[in-house]
Amino acid sequence: MDFFRLLSRGTKLDNTEAFTKNEKAVNEEDSIIRPLDFFHTHSTPTQEVREKKQKKETEPELHVPVIPYRKSKITGDDVPHPLTAFQDLVSRFQVSQSLVSRIKFPAPTQIQTEAIPGILHDRDILASAPTGSGKTLAYVLPIAHILQKDQPGGTSGIKALILVPTKELATQVLEAFTILTRGSTTFKVKVLTKSLLARVTSEAGAKAGDVLIATPLRLVRALAVLDFGSLRHLVLDEADKLFDPAFAPQTDDILAHLRGRTLQKLFLSATLPSSIEALALNLMTAPLRILISPGQAPATVAQKLVYAGSEAGKLLAIRQMLKTGELTPPVLVFLQSIERANALFHELVYDGVNVDVIHGERTETQRRAVVERFKKAEVWVLICTDVLARGIDVHGVNLVINYDVPQSAQAYIHRIGRTGRAGKQGKAVTFFTKDDVENVKIVVNVMKESGCEVEEWMTRLGKVDKKTKKQLKRKPVDRDDISTQPKKRKRKNLSKDKQSTGEE
Ligand SMILES: Nc1ncnc2c1ncn2[C@@H]1O[C@H](COP(=O)(O)OP(=O)(O)OP(=O)(O)O)[C@@H](O)[C@H]1O
């Protein structure tokens, strides 16, 4: 059966209809809302929907995981015993009680039980564990202990270098160190900001800290002037992203610059495709390979696919969610480009939504301010590109909306992993249209792999071949414009946009 006939079966969705006005959309609720009313909470249901709703009320609202995660696999020579409790660190590794007492969690997560002893035994580590499973503390804690132990007799200079793909993640890793070591003056942790880059390149003797956290693009510009003579630990957080075409030239330059030094290498990510795993293992010595549900989305995220028919259908769906209160903040909404993120931002601003937007064309200061406001719940709906897909840990994100289907399984896993973190429950909704025939299969496969109960039509979708996967990753789907605004208002908003995003 034709794929899209299959998808829209039993609905009155009219794909050819272009919804250009809100009024029209609202008047034609019945024809479009039914397939989009995925939480079944629409306020004015038709008789049929009402009956369905009554039936549904006794059933779970979203898909629940029905199969257990794949087993973890820890391989390597002499695998150290896992940690059973944080307190073990004191007796087993002589970690100071003051450091351990700063950990506010009752017990280590699985990645922490395996990785922390490995790092303290000075092993190279390749680790994959689900989003939100505590990978940051798994390396920050042992590095903090080693540096505290080595000080003050230790040499000056950078001892640990942590590479991350985004500025936001760099700030977050700095915060993780600060929480653990607040008040301790034994070592300094710094992010390679624009001003630090300027200082280290222009002032002789300017210090880059004992721990330097950097994005590859900025670090390559400072390689020649930084002193790596004391470097002992190299961490690649979101390792697969750092070998992505966007970062690979700089990451390669950095690795080449550090070649020949004896370093402990720690590569971590929720997704480590086999090509990256092979590349990483090649750089390591007697590594420990810690794979915990590799490449899977966490069971704590209820995943849902929603057929929106067209771009207008997506906009209508999000407006409907706002109207019915289904969009419980904080919410992250991912789009495939800066242009589309800005366009949706203007649509929602016009609707009076407490919304902001973040992407690579906003200034560093704006980006920092937006994330802060989102964390403080001053912004309820944050529209973003994949710049926020990796690593960002915002407490209690309720819902992730993939307004545009992501271009790879990895991107999907990381995006939806912004919710359902640290054991909390979350929801992820992915809108798709007739333009998404191939990439929707990728999402369905992740759903199946993650143990999500999937609908019958999804079980009949095949897999995407390697070549198509590569093409999808390289080039986003061509989509119609988001905006339904009359041209005059659109122009006015565009000029406002330039002011608010700092674009030229
Ligand atoms: N042992 C623990 N128990 C409970 N919560 C923890 C524990 N360790 C860390 N956390 C919390 O879990 C959340 C997610 O941790 P973290 O950001 O390190 O996840 P991650 O595995 O790096 O995720 P991602 O792959 O998305 O980067 C954080 O808020 C962190 O403070």
Side-chain angles (χ1 to χ4, degrees):
M1 187 187 283
D2 170 77
F3 178 61
F4 283 98
R5 263 179 46 222
L6 196 70
L7 295 180
S8 51
R9 201 174 47 187
T11 73
K12 287 190 216 158
L13 191 67
D14 180 358
N15 296 346
T16 60
E17 186 75 53
F19 286 85
T20 51
K21 290 202 175 88
N22 296 355
E23 301 85 336
K24 182 172 185 188
V26 170
N27 290 339
E28 294 189 8
E29 263 179 358
D30 276 353
S31 64
I32 193 149
I33 293 311
R34 287 170 53 200
L36 301 174
D37 184 24
F38 42 90
F39 293 126
H40 305 282
T41 53
H42 186 246
S43 52
T44 53
T46 59
Q47 182 57 35
E48 194 188 334
V49 171
R50 216 174 291 129
E51 281 164 12
K52 269 195 188 161
K53 189 179 169 199
Q54 277 165 3
K55 186 167 166 272
K56 280 270 172 183
E57 269 160 7
T58 54
E59 296 169 6
E61 282 187 324
L62 286 159
H63 295 137
V64 288
V66 288
I67 58 166
Y69 270 1
R70 274 198 302 245
K71 274 207 184 96
S72 319
K73 205 161 82 180
I74 294 109
T75 53
D77 299 336
D78 300 325
V79 176
H81 289 300
L83 213 61
T84 50
F86 284 122
Q87 200 54 39
D88 284 1
L89 289 166
V90 180
S91 51
R92 221 175 122 190
F93 295 100
Q94 291 72 54
V95 175
S96 72
Q97 186 59 52
S98 67
L99 189 60
V100 172
S101 62
R102 285 179 179 275
I103 306 166
K104 295 296 171 225
F105 308 118
T109 61
Q110 195 179 354
I111 182 65
Q112 292 163 357
T113 63
E114 300 293 347
I116 294 173
I119 298 171
L120 292 174
H121 278 292
D122 201 20
R123 301 289 294 270
D124 283 355
I125 288 182
L126 180 72
S128 181
T131 50
S133 64
K135 293 188 287 298
T136 317
L137 188 68
Y139 67 82
V140 165
L141 174 64
I143 290 177
H145 163 67
I146 294 164
L147 296 191
Q148 274 190 349
K149 187 171 60 101
D150 285 355
Q151 295 283 348
T155 49
S156 65
I158 304 164
K159 296 174 190 73
L161 174 64
I162 299 169
L163 277 186
V164 292
T166 62
K167 298 172 186 108
E168 286 74 17
L169 194 47
T171 308
Q172 207 172 275
V173 175
L174 172 68
E175 282 163 9
F177 270 105
T178 310
I179 290 168
L180 270 190
T181 59
R182 191 170 285 135
S184 152
T185 50
T186 49
F187 69 94
K188 292 236 166 336
V189 186
K190 291 190 182 176
V191 171
L192 188 61
T193 55
K194 224 184 231 173
S195 67
L196 181 60
L197 177 68
R199 271 205 310 280
V200 294
T201 45
S202 64
E203 289 172 28
K207 290 260 184 316
D210 300 276
V211 178
L212 182 66
I213 310 164
T215 55
L217 290 161
R218 196 160 277 167
L219 184 64
V220 279
R221 286 188 259 149
L223 280 180
V225 292
L226 289 174
D227 172 14
F228 290 110
S230 318
L231 191 67
R232 280 286 302 114
H233 314 272
L234 173 67
V235 182
L236 265 62
D237 197 345
E238 309 294 342
D240 57 330
K241 186 72 187 170
L242 295 170
F243 287 111
D244 210 83
F247 293 101
Q250 290 78 25
T251 305
D252 286 347
D253 284 354
I254 294 161
L255 294 178
H257 188 82
L258 301 176
R259 196 172 296 138
R261 297 184 185 281
T262 310
L263 300 177
Q264 179 183 43
K265 299 186 183 88
L266 311 173
F267 290 12
L268 308 97
S269 180
T271 51
L272 281 174
S274 50
S275 55
I276 301 297
E277 212 184 306
L279 196 151
L281 289 173
N282 211 19
L283 297 166
M284 296 181 161
T285 311
L288 274 183
R289 218 165 131 254
I290 305 172
L291 305 180
I292 297 164
S293 312
Q296 291 186 358
T300 44
V301 183
Q303 302 168 57
K304 186 93 179 168
L305 264 171
V306 171
Y307 182 53
S310 63
E311 285 302 321
K314 290 183 185 177
L315 200 49
L316 183 59
I318 213 164
R319 285 193 168 129
Q320 200 56 41
M321 290 171 82
L322 280 163
K323 218 169 112 188
T324 57
E326 293 154 38
L327 217 101
T328 325
V331 179
L332 273 174
V333 187
F334 285 94
L335 290 96
Q336 68 188 31
S337 70
I338 293 174
E339 191 191 5
R340 287 176 63 76
N342 281 334
L344 182 64
F345 171 64
H346 288 135
E347 290 292 334
L348 297 189
V349 162
Y350 183 74
D351 291 345
V353 181
N354 180 351
V355 64
D356 211 329
V357 62
I358 185 165
H359 49 63
E361 283 184 10
R362 299 206 73 175
T363 65
E364 205 168 321
T365 317
Q366 286 171 332
R367 277 166 67 163
R368 199 174 311 123
V370 171
V371 171
E372 271 314 302
R373 292 182 60 222
F374 188 60
K375 284 186 173 173
K376 286 192 211 150
E378 289 168 14
V379 169
W380 291 2
V381 177
L382 184 54
I383 296 173
C384 54
T385 56
D386 278 328
V387 78
L388 275 205
R390 294 270 182 162
I392 294 305
D393 185 58
V394 176
H395 189 74
V397 169
N398 276 313
L399 174 67
V400 169
I401 298 177
N402 286 312
Y403 198 86
D404 296 333
V405 182
Q407 287 167 250
S408 67
Q410 291 81 24
Y412 176 71
I413 289 168
H414 287 278
R415 280 183 182 186
I416 70 167
R418 298 315 99 209
T419 184
R421 297 174 70 75
K424 291 195 183 65
Q425 299 296 313
K427 292 172 190 166
V429 174
T430 302
F431 294 160
F432 69 107
T433 71
K434 56 191 182 324
D435 298 323
D436 295 301
V437 183
E438 293 300 331
N439 45 7
V440 95
K441 290 183 197 165
I442 292 177
V443 171
V444 168
N445 276 323
V446 175
M447 288 171 75
K448 286 185 202 161
E449 287 272 304
S450 316
C452 249
E453 209 172 66
V454 294
E455 286 170 35
E456 199 267 336
W457 66 265
M458 298 182 190
T459 60
R460 283 190 261 147
L461 295 179
K463 292 206 170 181
V464 182
D465 61 69
K466 268 194 180 158
K467 198 174 147 211
T468 316
K469 268 189 199 165
K470 268 193 182 160
Q471 281 167 351
L472 287 173
K473 215 170 176 177
R474 247 198 322 263
K475 193 177 173 300
V477 170
D478 254 340
R479 299 186 188 280
D480 290 341
D481 281 356
I482 285 177
S483 183
T484 57
Q485 298 175 15
K487 284 210 164 54
K488 204 171 157 197
R489 179 156 64 81
K490 205 168 148 188
R491 267 201 302 277
K492 206 167 133 199
N493 278 342
L494 266 176
S495 66
K496 257 198 243 158
D497 175 40
K498 286 189 179 175
Q499 287 163 18
S500 68
T501 60
E503 289 165 18
E504 291 285 301

